[in-house]
Amino acid sequence: ATPPGIDSVANVCSHCHVVTAELFAESAHEPAFAELGMPACVTCHGNHDVMKPSDAMLTGGEGTPCATCHEANSVPLNKAAQLRTMVEGLSSQIDRATAILTRAEHAGMEIGAPRFELLAAKESLIKARTETHSLKIEQVKAATDPGFIVAEKSLKSGQDLLTELQFRRKGLVVSMLVI
């Protein structure tokens, strides 16, 4: 039961996920999947019970799509682990920046600009997760590096805001004592 104009259910995904499909088509997986008669997206992400993508899918551990074709400690799984490390590193840095900005916001500090700038890091993360389909470390790194810079800047802004908050509180105490 494929939609009109679609030769395979596996190709339905590429209508919305065009960039991901193009990266996959240029990767080493595309010819390997074709040779084995495995449908592209469906093999890793499922068909009717679509598996929600996560960074954990890149581990190659038991129960992940990678483990069905690649042996433990193989070169492809080690590459997948490198990709995951880069993506999770950026995700973690964004989470740290978000947490400190939230603390500053709850303390009454204005965090609009750093929070807005952090959106660029989140866009880098989305791009990096998409780039993993290329299986090219350089391309994923090219996506994560700008995100790290922005997330680090936002983290620093949050730290600076909390430092300023402490300075203001001390100033308030001194003012109260003088008054």
Side-chain angles (χ1 to χ4, degrees), residues 82-131:
Q82 284 181 281
L83 296 173
R84 180 180 180 185
T85 298
M86 286 189 283
V87 170
E88 284 185 336
L90 177 54
S91 179
S92 177
Q93 188 71 346
I94 290 169
D95 290 346
R96 283 192 295 275
T98 300
I100 200 161
L101 288 173
T102 300
R103 279 182 47 216
E105 181 180 40
H106 289 165
M109 302 301 287
E110 170 55 44
I111 56 115
R115 175 93 68 195
F116 181 75
E117 291 169 357
L118 195 56
L119 292 175
K122 291 177 181 180
E123 288 175 16
S124 290
L125 180 60
I126 291 167
K127 184 175 181 185
R129 286 177 171 152
T130 302
E131 289 290 343

mmCIF file of all heavy atoms in Angstrom, residues 82-131:
data_model
loop_
_atom_site.group_PDB
_atom_site.id
_atom_site.type_symbol
_atom_site.label_atom_id
_atom_site.label_comp_id
_atom_site.label_asym_id
_atom_site.label_seq_id
_atom_site.Cartn_x
_atom_site.Cartn_y
_atom_site.Cartn_z
ATOM 1 N N GLN A 82 32.236 7.802 17.507
ATOM 2 C CA GLN A 82 32.804 9.147 17.372
ATOM 3 C C GLN A 82 31.713 10.151 17.010
ATOM 4 O O GLN A 82 31.682 11.262 17.559
ATOM 5 C CB GLN A 82 33.880 9.162 16.274
ATOM 6 C CG GLN A 82 35.200 8.552 16.674
ATOM 7 C CD GLN A 82 36.183 8.652 15.517
ATOM 8 O OE1 GLN A 82 36.117 7.868 14.584
ATOM 9 N NE2 GLN A 82 37.065 9.625 15.594
ATOM 10 N N LEU A 83 30.849 9.767 16.091
ATOM 11 C CA LEU A 83 29.753 10.652 15.691
ATOM 12 C C LEU A 83 28.861 10.944 16.892
ATOM 13 O O LEU A 83 28.471 12.091 17.128
ATOM 14 C CB LEU A 83 28.936 10.021 14.561
ATOM 15 C CG LEU A 83 29.660 9.803 13.238
ATOM 16 C CD1 LEU A 83 28.777 9.020 12.269
ATOM 17 C CD2 LEU A 83 30.105 11.115 12.617
ATOM 18 N N ARG A 84 28.565 9.903 17.647
ATOM 19 C CA ARG A 84 27.703 10.075 18.820
ATOM 20 C C ARG A 84 28.364 10.996 19.846
ATOM 21 O O ARG A 84 27.707 11.857 20.434
ATOM 22 C CB ARG A 84 27.393 8.731 19.458
ATOM 23 C CG ARG A 84 26.500 8.878 20.677
ATOM 24 C CD ARG A 84 26.175 7.572 21.321
ATOM 25 N NE ARG A 84 25.317 7.785 22.484
ATOM 26 C CZ ARG A 84 24.956 6.839 23.297
ATOM 27 N NH1 ARG A 84 25.339 5.600 23.099
ATOM 28 N NH2 ARG A 84 24.193 7.109 24.342
ATOM 29 N N THR A 85 29.659 10.835 20.057
ATOM 30 C CA THR A 85 30.381 11.671 21.019
ATOM 31 C C THR A 85 30.278 13.146 20.639
ATOM 32 O O THR A 85 30.040 14.004 21.494
ATOM 33 C CB THR A 85 31.859 11.234 21.106
ATOM 34 O OG1 THR A 85 31.907 9.885 21.568
ATOM 35 C CG2 THR A 85 32.660 12.124 22.030
ATOM 36 N N MET A 86 30.427 13.439 19.350
ATOM 37 C CA MET A 86 30.344 14.834 18.910
ATOM 38 C C MET A 86 28.932 15.387 19.111
ATOM 39 O O MET A 86 28.762 16.492 19.634
ATOM 40 C CB MET A 86 30.746 14.946 17.439
ATOM 41 C CG MET A 86 32.224 14.800 17.200
ATOM 42 S SD MET A 86 32.708 15.180 15.502
ATOM 43 C CE MET A 86 32.189 13.690 14.663
ATOM 44 N N VAL A 87 27.936 14.609 18.708
ATOM 45 C CA VAL A 87 26.549 15.063 18.807
ATOM 46 C C VAL A 87 26.129 15.198 20.272
ATOM 47 O O VAL A 87 25.534 16.203 20.673
ATOM 48 C CB VAL A 87 25.615 14.104 18.036
ATOM 49 C CG1 VAL A 87 24.162 14.394 18.324
ATOM 50 C CG2 VAL A 87 25.896 14.186 16.541
ATOM 51 N N GLU A 88 26.450 14.201 21.083
ATOM 52 C CA GLU A 88 26.081 14.266 22.498
ATOM 53 C C GLU A 88 26.844 15.361 23.235
ATOM 54 O O GLU A 88 26.320 15.965 24.161
ATOM 55 C CB GLU A 88 26.302 12.917 23.182
ATOM 56 C CG GLU A 88 25.234 11.907 22.851
ATOM 57 C CD GLU A 88 25.384 10.608 23.630
ATOM 58 O OE1 GLU A 88 26.514 10.288 24.080
ATOM 59 O OE2 GLU A 88 24.368 9.915 23.772
ATOM 60 N N GLY A 89 28.090 15.615 22.813
ATOM 61 C CA GLY A 89 28.869 16.688 23.428
ATOM 62 C C GLY A 89 28.196 18.033 23.216
ATOM 63 O O GLY A 89 28.074 18.832 24.152
ATOM 64 N N LEU A 90 27.746 18.284 21.991
ATOM 65 C CA LEU A 90 27.055 19.543 21.712
ATOM 66 C C LEU A 90 25.729 19.597 22.459
ATOM 67 O O LEU A 90 25.396 20.621 23.067
ATOM 68 C CB LEU A 90 26.823 19.712 20.207
ATOM 69 C CG LEU A 90 26.036 20.956 19.786
ATOM 70 C CD1 LEU A 90 26.667 22.231 20.339
ATOM 71 C CD2 LEU A 90 25.920 21.015 18.270
ATOM 72 N N SER A 91 25.004 18.498 22.467
ATOM 73 C CA SER A 91 23.719 18.456 23.181
ATOM 74 C C SER A 91 23.919 18.754 24.662
ATOM 75 O O SER A 91 23.168 19.529 25.261
ATOM 76 C CB SER A 91 23.070 17.082 23.002
ATOM 77 O OG SER A 91 21.860 17.011 23.693
ATOM 78 N N SER A 92 24.947 18.183 25.249
ATOM 79 C CA SER A 92 25.251 18.392 26.661
ATOM 80 C C SER A 92 25.629 19.850 26.933
ATOM 81 O O SER A 92 25.200 20.440 27.935
ATOM 82 C CB SER A 92 26.385 17.455 27.075
ATOM 83 O OG SER A 92 26.741 17.667 28.400
ATOM 84 N N GLN A 93 26.410 20.438 26.043
ATOM 85 C CA GLN A 93 26.821 21.838 26.214
ATOM 86 C C GLN A 93 25.609 22.762 26.120
ATOM 87 O O GLN A 93 25.493 23.729 26.878
ATOM 88 C CB GLN A 93 27.877 22.212 25.170
ATOM 89 C CG GLN A 93 28.501 23.562 25.373
ATOM 90 C CD GLN A 93 29.426 23.623 26.578
ATOM 91 O OE1 GLN A 93 29.453 22.752 27.437
ATOM 92 N NE2 GLN A 93 30.208 24.674 26.650
ATOM 93 N N ILE A 94 24.700 22.455 25.211
ATOM 94 C CA ILE A 94 23.468 23.240 25.089
ATOM 95 C C ILE A 94 22.646 23.106 26.366
ATOM 96 O O ILE A 94 22.103 24.095 26.875
ATOM 97 C CB ILE A 94 22.652 22.801 23.850
ATOM 98 C CG1 ILE A 94 23.383 23.220 22.571
ATOM 99 C CG2 ILE A 94 21.236 23.373 23.888
ATOM 100 C CD1 ILE A 94 22.808 22.627 21.296
ATOM 101 N N ASP A 95 22.564 21.892 26.903
ATOM 102 C CA ASP A 95 21.811 21.671 28.142
ATOM 103 C C ASP A 95 22.404 22.460 29.305
ATOM 104 O O ASP A 95 21.674 23.039 30.106
ATOM 105 C CB ASP A 95 21.767 20.179 28.495
ATOM 106 C CG ASP A 95 20.893 19.375 27.549
ATOM 107 O OD1 ASP A 95 20.105 19.975 26.783
ATOM 108 O OD2 ASP A 95 21.009 18.127 27.564
ATOM 109 N N ARG A 96 23.746 22.478 29.398
ATOM 110 C CA ARG A 96 24.403 23.247 30.466
ATOM 111 C C ARG A 96 24.105 24.737 30.322
ATOM 112 O O ARG A 96 23.794 25.420 31.304
ATOM 113 C CB ARG A 96 25.911 23.001 30.469
ATOM 114 C CG ARG A 96 26.315 21.669 31.074
ATOM 115 C CD ARG A 96 27.814 21.581 31.339
ATOM 116 N NE ARG A 96 28.616 21.627 30.131
ATOM 117 C CZ ARG A 96 28.910 20.580 29.367
ATOM 118 N NH1 ARG A 96 28.441 19.393 29.673
ATOM 119 N NH2 ARG A 96 29.647 20.712 28.291
ATOM 120 N N ALA A 97 24.200 25.239 29.085
ATOM 121 C CA ALA A 97 23.922 26.662 28.846
ATOM 122 C C ALA A 97 22.463 26.984 29.161
ATOM 123 O O ALA A 97 22.171 28.007 29.795
ATOM 124 C CB ALA A 97 24.255 27.028 27.400
ATOM 125 N N THR A 98 21.565 26.104 28.751
ATOM 126 C CA THR A 98 20.136 26.314 29.024
ATOM 127 C C THR A 98 19.878 26.339 30.526
ATOM 128 O O THR A 98 19.130 27.196 31.021
ATOM 129 C CB THR A 98 19.293 25.209 28.353
ATOM 130 O OG1 THR A 98 19.523 25.250 26.939
ATOM 131 C CG2 THR A 98 17.819 25.380 28.640
ATOM 132 N N ALA A 99 20.489 25.425 31.250
ATOM 133 C CA ALA A 99 20.283 25.341 32.706
ATOM 134 C C ALA A 99 20.764 26.603 33.411
ATOM 135 O O ALA A 99 20.062 27.143 34.280
ATOM 136 C CB ALA A 99 20.993 24.111 33.271
ATOM 137 N N ILE A 100 21.927 27.086 33.049
ATOM 138 C CA ILE A 100 22.447 28.271 33.742
ATOM 139 C C ILE A 100 21.654 29.516 33.354
ATOM 140 O O ILE A 100 21.412 30.393 34.193
ATOM 141 C CB ILE A 100 23.968 28.457 33.508
ATOM 142 C CG1 ILE A 100 24.557 29.365 34.597
ATOM 143 C CG2 ILE A 100 24.272 28.979 32.130
ATOM 144 C CD1 ILE A 100 26.038 29.254 34.749
ATOM 145 N N LEU A 101 21.208 29.589 32.104
ATOM 146 C CA LEU A 101 20.375 30.721 31.705
ATOM 147 C C LEU A 101 19.024 30.678 32.420
ATOM 148 O O LEU A 101 18.493 31.725 32.819
ATOM 149 C CB LEU A 101 20.174 30.737 30.186
ATOM 150 C CG LEU A 101 21.406 31.127 29.366
ATOM 151 C CD1 LEU A 101 21.140 30.947 27.876
ATOM 152 C CD2 LEU A 101 21.847 32.554 29.662
ATOM 153 N N THR A 102 18.493 29.497 32.612
ATOM 154 C CA THR A 102 17.227 29.346 33.340
ATOM 155 C C THR A 102 17.399 29.784 34.791
ATOM 156 O O THR A 102 16.526 30.473 35.340
ATOM 157 C CB THR A 102 16.726 27.895 33.255
ATOM 158 O OG1 THR A 102 16.523 27.567 31.869
ATOM 159 C CG2 THR A 102 15.427 27.702 34.011
ATOM 160 N N ARG A 103 18.527 29.401 35.414
ATOM 161 C CA ARG A 103 18.798 29.849 36.790
ATOM 162 C C ARG A 103 18.846 31.372 36.853
ATOM 163 O O ARG A 103 18.277 31.997 37.756
ATOM 164 C CB ARG A 103 20.120 29.266 37.294
ATOM 165 C CG ARG A 103 19.998 27.858 37.794
ATOM 166 C CD ARG A 103 21.295 27.284 38.345
ATOM 167 N NE ARG A 103 22.004 28.160 39.249
ATOM 168 C CZ ARG A 103 23.326 28.246 39.314
ATOM 169 N NH1 ARG A 103 24.087 27.496 38.541
ATOM 170 N NH2 ARG A 103 23.903 29.055 40.172
ATOM 171 N N ALA A 104 19.537 31.982 35.884
ATOM 172 C CA ALA A 104 19.654 33.443 35.856
ATOM 173 C C ALA A 104 18.278 34.076 35.634
ATOM 174 O O ALA A 104 17.937 35.074 36.276
ATOM 175 C CB ALA A 104 20.627 33.874 34.757
ATOM 176 N N GLU A 105 17.490 33.478 34.759
ATOM 177 C CA GLU A 105 16.151 34.011 34.488
ATOM 178 C C GLU A 105 15.267 33.932 35.735
ATOM 179 O O GLU A 105 14.573 34.890 36.070
ATOM 180 C CB GLU A 105 15.507 33.225 33.348
ATOM 181 C CG GLU A 105 14.118 33.699 32.971
ATOM 182 C CD GLU A 105 13.523 32.885 31.845
ATOM 183 O OE1 GLU A 105 13.708 31.645 31.834
ATOM 184 O OE2 GLU A 105 12.862 33.489 30.990
ATOM 185 N N HIS A 106 15.309 32.801 36.422
ATOM 186 C CA HIS A 106 14.501 32.644 37.633
ATOM 187 C C HIS A 106 14.954 33.589 38.752
ATOM 188 O O HIS A 106 14.169 33.908 39.646
ATOM 189 C CB HIS A 106 14.525 31.198 38.118
ATOM 190 C CG HIS A 106 13.758 30.276 37.225
ATOM 191 N ND1 HIS A 106 13.888 28.919 37.283
ATOM 192 C CD2 HIS A 106 12.853 30.510 36.243
ATOM 193 C CE1 HIS A 106 13.099 28.371 36.381
ATOM 194 N NE2 HIS A 106 12.470 29.310 35.725
ATOM 195 N N ALA A 107 16.193 34.034 38.663
ATOM 196 C CA ALA A 107 16.698 34.993 39.649
ATOM 197 C C ALA A 107 16.359 36.429 39.253
ATOM 198 O O ALA A 107 16.709 37.366 39.967
ATOM 199 C CB ALA A 107 18.210 34.836 39.803
ATOM 200 N N GLY A 108 15.697 36.593 38.108
ATOM 201 C CA GLY A 108 15.267 37.918 37.700
ATOM 202 C C GLY A 108 16.180 38.624 36.711
ATOM 203 O O GLY A 108 15.981 39.804 36.430
ATOM 204 N N MET A 109 17.160 37.923 36.194
ATOM 205 C CA MET A 109 18.081 38.543 35.240
ATOM 206 C C MET A 109 17.502 38.462 33.823
ATOM 207 O O MET A 109 16.772 37.534 33.492
ATOM 208 C CB MET A 109 19.451 37.851 35.289
ATOM 209 C CG MET A 109 20.108 37.868 36.661
ATOM 210 S SD MET A 109 20.391 39.520 37.313
ATOM 211 C CE MET A 109 21.748 40.045 36.303
ATOM 212 N N GLU A 110 17.849 39.414 32.993
ATOM 213 C CA GLU A 110 17.398 39.446 31.598
ATOM 214 C C GLU A 110 18.296 38.526 30.772
ATOM 215 O O GLU A 110 19.497 38.760 30.661
ATOM 216 C CB GLU A 110 17.470 40.875 31.054
ATOM 217 C CG GLU A 110 17.253 41.006 29.569
ATOM 218 C CD GLU A 110 15.953 40.391 29.077
ATOM 219 O OE1 GLU A 110 14.898 40.579 29.719
ATOM 220 O OE2 GLU A 110 16.002 39.694 28.051
ATOM 221 N N ILE A 111 17.693 37.487 30.215
ATOM 222 C CA ILE A 111 18.485 36.494 29.469
ATOM 223 C C ILE A 111 18.057 36.394 28.009
ATOM 224 O O ILE A 111 18.420 35.441 27.320
ATOM 225 C CB ILE A 111 18.386 35.111 30.143
ATOM 226 C CG1 ILE A 111 16.930 34.646 30.282
ATOM 227 C CG2 ILE A 111 19.036 35.114 31.500
ATOM 228 C CD1 ILE A 111 16.647 33.455 29.475
ATOM 229 N N GLY A 112 17.297 37.358 27.532
ATOM 230 C CA GLY A 112 16.742 37.299 26.179
ATOM 231 C C GLY A 112 17.771 37.076 25.086
ATOM 232 O O GLY A 112 17.619 36.173 24.265
ATOM 233 N N ALA A 113 18.810 37.885 25.059
ATOM 234 C CA ALA A 113 19.810 37.779 23.984
ATOM 235 C C ALA A 113 20.561 36.444 24.021
ATOM 236 O O ALA A 113 20.653 35.769 22.989
ATOM 237 C CB ALA A 113 20.779 38.954 24.050
ATOM 238 N N PRO A 114 21.100 36.026 25.176
ATOM 239 C CA PRO A 114 21.803 34.739 25.180
ATOM 240 C C PRO A 114 20.883 33.561 24.853
ATOM 241 O O PRO A 114 21.283 32.623 24.164
ATOM 242 C CB PRO A 114 22.344 34.606 26.602
ATOM 243 C CG PRO A 114 22.295 35.955 27.191
ATOM 244 C CD PRO A 114 21.251 36.717 26.451
ATOM 245 N N ARG A 115 19.638 33.619 25.322
ATOM 246 C CA ARG A 115 18.687 32.538 25.024
ATOM 247 C C ARG A 115 18.408 32.493 23.525
ATOM 248 O O ARG A 115 18.337 31.424 22.931
ATOM 249 C CB ARG A 115 17.403 32.734 25.821
ATOM 250 C CG ARG A 115 16.306 31.762 25.510
ATOM 251 C CD ARG A 115 16.247 30.556 26.364
ATOM 252 N NE ARG A 115 15.864 30.880 27.723
ATOM 253 C CZ ARG A 115 16.025 30.033 28.712
ATOM 254 N NH1 ARG A 115 16.540 28.847 28.501
ATOM 255 N NH2 ARG A 115 15.689 30.355 29.925
ATOM 256 N N PHE A 116 18.255 33.667 22.913
ATOM 257 C CA PHE A 116 18.024 33.733 21.476
ATOM 258 C C PHE A 116 19.233 33.202 20.714
ATOM 259 O O PHE A 116 19.086 32.460 19.744
ATOM 260 C CB PHE A 116 17.709 35.169 21.049
ATOM 261 C CG PHE A 116 17.443 35.313 19.586
ATOM 262 C CD1 PHE A 116 16.243 34.879 19.040
ATOM 263 C CD2 PHE A 116 18.397 35.872 18.744
ATOM 264 C CE1 PHE A 116 15.998 34.996 17.677
ATOM 265 C CE2 PHE A 116 18.157 35.990 17.387
ATOM 266 C CZ PHE A 116 16.962 35.557 16.850
ATOM 267 N N GLU A 117 20.443 33.592 21.142
ATOM 268 C CA GLU A 117 21.659 33.118 20.481
ATOM 269 C C GLU A 117 21.797 31.606 20.584
ATOM 270 O O GLU A 117 22.315 30.956 19.675
ATOM 271 C CB GLU A 117 22.883 33.803 21.088
ATOM 272 C CG GLU A 117 22.969 35.281 20.752
ATOM 273 C CD GLU A 117 24.024 36.017 21.546
ATOM 274 O OE1 GLU A 117 24.675 35.411 22.417
ATOM 275 O OE2 GLU A 117 24.189 37.223 21.293
ATOM 276 N N LEU A 118 21.316 31.047 21.675
ATOM 277 C CA LEU A 118 21.411 29.600 21.883
ATOM 278 C C LEU A 118 20.606 28.828 20.844
ATOM 279 O O LEU A 118 20.891 27.660 20.579
ATOM 280 C CB LEU A 118 20.960 29.245 23.304
ATOM 281 C CG LEU A 118 21.317 27.873 23.824
ATOM 282 C CD1 LEU A 118 22.822 27.623 23.765
ATOM 283 C CD2 LEU A 118 20.816 27.708 25.257
ATOM 284 N N LEU A 119 19.630 29.474 20.228
ATOM 285 C CA LEU A 119 18.863 28.825 19.164
ATOM 286 C C LEU A 119 19.770 28.398 18.012
ATOM 287 O O LEU A 119 19.540 27.366 17.386
ATOM 288 C CB LEU A 119 17.754 29.743 18.653
ATOM 289 C CG LEU A 119 16.616 30.038 19.619
ATOM 290 C CD1 LEU A 119 15.657 31.061 19.019
ATOM 291 C CD2 LEU A 119 15.880 28.770 20.014
ATOM 292 N N ALA A 120 20.808 29.181 17.740
ATOM 293 C CA ALA A 120 21.750 28.823 16.673
ATOM 294 C C ALA A 120 22.487 27.533 17.014
ATOM 295 O O ALA A 120 22.759 26.707 16.138
ATOM 296 C CB ALA A 120 22.741 29.955 16.429
ATOM 297 N N ALA A 121 22.806 27.337 18.280
ATOM 298 C CA ALA A 121 23.464 26.091 18.697
ATOM 299 C C ALA A 121 22.511 24.915 18.533
ATOM 300 O O ALA A 121 22.923 23.823 18.110
ATOM 301 C CB ALA A 121 23.934 26.193 20.142
ATOM 302 N N LYS A 122 21.241 25.132 18.847
ATOM 303 C CA LYS A 122 20.248 24.064 18.679
ATOM 304 C C LYS A 122 20.079 23.724 17.205
ATOM 305 O O LYS A 122 19.915 22.547 16.853
ATOM 306 C CB LYS A 122 18.919 24.476 19.307
ATOM 307 C CG LYS A 122 19.003 24.547 20.822
ATOM 308 C CD LYS A 122 17.709 25.024 21.448
ATOM 309 C CE LYS A 122 17.853 25.114 22.961
ATOM 310 N NZ LYS A 122 16.636 25.579 23.623
ATOM 311 N N GLU A 123 20.142 24.715 16.342
ATOM 312 C CA GLU A 123 20.079 24.468 14.898
ATOM 313 C C GLU A 123 21.306 23.665 14.444
ATOM 314 O O GLU A 123 21.191 22.774 13.611
ATOM 315 C CB GLU A 123 19.984 25.775 14.128
ATOM 316 C CG GLU A 123 18.632 26.442 14.264
ATOM 317 C CD GLU A 123 18.582 27.816 13.600
ATOM 318 O OE1 GLU A 123 19.469 28.143 12.782
ATOM 319 O OE2 GLU A 123 17.645 28.563 13.925
ATOM 320 N N SER A 124 22.463 23.977 15.010
ATOM 321 C CA SER A 124 23.672 23.214 14.695
ATOM 322 C C SER A 124 23.520 21.761 15.119
ATOM 323 O O SER A 124 23.970 20.850 14.422
ATOM 324 C CB SER A 124 24.899 23.815 15.388
ATOM 325 O OG SER A 124 25.235 25.052 14.823
ATOM 326 N N LEU A 125 22.888 21.540 16.259
ATOM 327 C CA LEU A 125 22.659 20.183 16.749
ATOM 328 C C LEU A 125 21.745 19.414 15.803
ATOM 329 O O LEU A 125 22.017 18.253 15.477
ATOM 330 C CB LEU A 125 22.075 20.219 18.162
ATOM 331 C CG LEU A 125 21.782 18.865 18.808
ATOM 332 C CD1 LEU A 125 23.055 18.029 18.938
ATOM 333 C CD2 LEU A 125 21.129 19.073 20.173
ATOM 334 N N ILE A 126 20.692 20.058 15.349
ATOM 335 C CA ILE A 126 19.782 19.401 14.402
ATOM 336 C C ILE A 126 20.528 19.058 13.119
ATOM 337 O O ILE A 126 20.405 17.943 12.586
ATOM 338 C CB ILE A 126 18.566 20.309 14.104
ATOM 339 C CG1 ILE A 126 17.689 20.424 15.348
ATOM 340 C CG2 ILE A 126 17.767 19.792 12.915
ATOM 341 C CD1 ILE A 126 16.642 21.516 15.285
ATOM 342 N N LYS A 127 21.328 19.995 12.637
ATOM 343 C CA LYS A 127 22.100 19.752 11.414
ATOM 344 C C LYS A 127 23.098 18.609 11.631
ATOM 345 O O LYS A 127 23.255 17.748 10.766
ATOM 346 C CB LYS A 127 22.826 21.020 10.991
ATOM 347 C CG LYS A 127 23.551 20.862 9.684
ATOM 348 C CD LYS A 127 24.183 22.148 9.200
ATOM 349 C CE LYS A 127 24.865 21.896 7.863
ATOM 350 N NZ LYS A 127 25.593 23.041 7.377
ATOM 351 N N ALA A 128 23.754 18.593 12.777
ATOM 352 C CA ALA A 128 24.726 17.538 13.061
ATOM 353 C C ALA A 128 24.047 16.168 13.101
ATOM 354 O O ALA A 128 24.590 15.182 12.578
ATOM 355 C CB ALA A 128 25.440 17.812 14.387
ATOM 356 N N ARG A 129 22.879 16.109 13.727
ATOM 357 C CA ARG A 129 22.154 14.829 13.784
ATOM 358 C C ARG A 129 21.771 14.377 12.370
ATOM 359 O O ARG A 129 21.813 13.188 12.074
ATOM 360 C CB ARG A 129 20.926 14.967 14.672
ATOM 361 C CG ARG A 129 21.290 15.013 16.134
ATOM 362 C CD ARG A 129 20.089 15.226 17.024
ATOM 363 N NE ARG A 129 20.455 15.061 18.425
ATOM 364 C CZ ARG A 129 19.836 15.675 19.421
ATOM 365 N NH1 ARG A 129 18.810 16.480 19.187
ATOM 366 N NH2 ARG A 129 20.230 15.468 20.665
ATOM 367 N N THR A 130 21.421 15.306 11.528
ATOM 368 C CA THR A 130 21.111 14.964 10.138
ATOM 369 C C THR A 130 22.373 14.504 9.421
ATOM 370 O O THR A 130 22.352 13.518 8.683
ATOM 371 C CB THR A 130 20.491 16.179 9.420
ATOM 372 O OG1 THR A 130 19.319 16.569 10.117
ATOM 373 C CG2 THR A 130 20.143 15.859 7.983
ATOM 374 N N GLU A 131 23.472 15.212 9.648
ATOM 375 C CA GLU A 131 24.743 14.886 8.989
ATOM 376 C C GLU A 131 25.265 13.500 9.348
ATOM 377 O O GLU A 131 26.069 12.941 8.615
ATOM 378 C CB GLU A 131 25.811 15.931 9.311
ATOM 379 C CG GLU A 131 25.602 17.274 8.661
ATOM 380 C CD GLU A 131 25.817 17.286 7.154
ATOM 381 O OE1 GLU A 131 26.436 16.353 6.596
ATOM 382 O OE2 GLU A 131 25.345 18.237 6.520
#
